[in-house]
Amino acid sequence: MREIKVEIKDKLNLTVEEAAAYSGISERVLRSRLADGNYDFILKNGTKTLIKRRLFEKYLESVDAI
């Protein structure tokens, strides 16, 4: 079976690890924010938390501090 590699900029949903690398926000800070808040860019798949990349980008553009 061949593994397909997709660049982060082309993915619709990111893992918390990918979102941290993509945004420059530490994984620890990002996980604590996700646990504390109710954001529209969170997608739950069972116990796995994914981040909707486009909505996450819009959120980051709208805030001044994290």
Side-chain angles (χ1 to χ4, degrees):
M1 184 177 204
R2 197 174 96 186
E3 185 175 323
I4 298 173
K5 292 285 186 176
V6 179
E7 292 186 36
I8 288 178
K9 67 178 183 70
D10 296 327
K11 289 185 171 187
L12 293 177
N13 301 306
L14 306 173
T15 63
V16 175
E17 296 83 8
E18 290 171 333
Y22 182 68
S23 65
I25 301 168
S26 78
E27 187 178 331
R28 184 177 56 96
V29 169
L30 190 54
R31 283 189 189 279
S32 71
R33 295 289 187 250
L34 295 177
D36 292 343
N38 185 18
Y39 300 103
D40 61 347
F41 57 80
I42 297 174
L43 174 66
K44 289 286 197 172
N45 183 8
T47 59
K48 187 173 188 176
T49 299
L50 297 173
I51 296 173
K52 300 173 189 175
R53 185 183 51 81
R54 291 184 190 130
L55 292 176
F56 183 56
E57 288 172 346
K58 286 181 183 179
Y59 168 76
L60 290 177
E61 290 174 2
S62 69
V63 296
D64 293 328
I66 293 198

